[in-house]
Every structure is written in C-alpha cells, then in structure tokens.
Amino acid sequence: MYIYLSKEDSAKLDRLMREYEQTFHERCYAYCMSDPIAEIEKCLKTGKPSKIKPEPGAVY
C-alpha cells in the first residue's frame, strides 16, 4: 500500500513523527498506518502511544 502526500502533508508528517518520538520515546511506525497524520495527531492529543506496530518479519 502506498500513500501519496503533498509537499505540505509530507512536511507535517515529518514534524509529527519527530514530536511523537520526543513525546513517547519510541519509534513512530507511520509506514504501518493507513492514515498516519490522523493517527499520530490522535496519539499526541490523547497522550497514549500508538498500538500499531509492524508484524514480526514483515517487509515494508
């Protein structure tokens, strides 16, 4: 599955991923999410890290 982002959305996703990693001290697996911007914003708003993780052995 590929997600195509505009230049603005790509910059926003990069910023959100950095903020997520600083807040939760764990890697953000945006490539596993169908709507990464909304998912990361939800996590930051609720203060709970995402439960979406890559499956063991999966290739992305």
Side-chain angles (χ1 to χ4, degrees):
M1 172 175 70
Y2 289 96
I3 297 173
Y4 295 98
L5 300 173
S6 67
K7 187 175 181 180
E8 295 80 19
D9 284 345
S10 181
K12 182 177 183 178
L13 180 59
D14 287 341
R15 181 182 54 76
L16 287 170
M17 287 176 64
R18 282 193 303 277
E19 187 176 342
Y20 180 96
E21 290 172 2
Q22 290 173 352
T23 302
F24 300 114
H25 305 288
E26 68 179 34
R27 187 167 177 214
C28 179
Y29 296 101
Y31 54 85
C32 296
M33 303 172 184
S34 59
D35 187 1
I37 293 174
E39 177 70 23
I40 295 170
E41 286 177 333
K42 183 182 85 169
C43 292
L44 292 170
K45 184 178 178 182
T46 62
K48 297 178 183 174
S50 176
K51 294 181 179 166
I52 299 174
K53 308 283 188 227
E55 294 179 19
V59 177
Y60 291 96

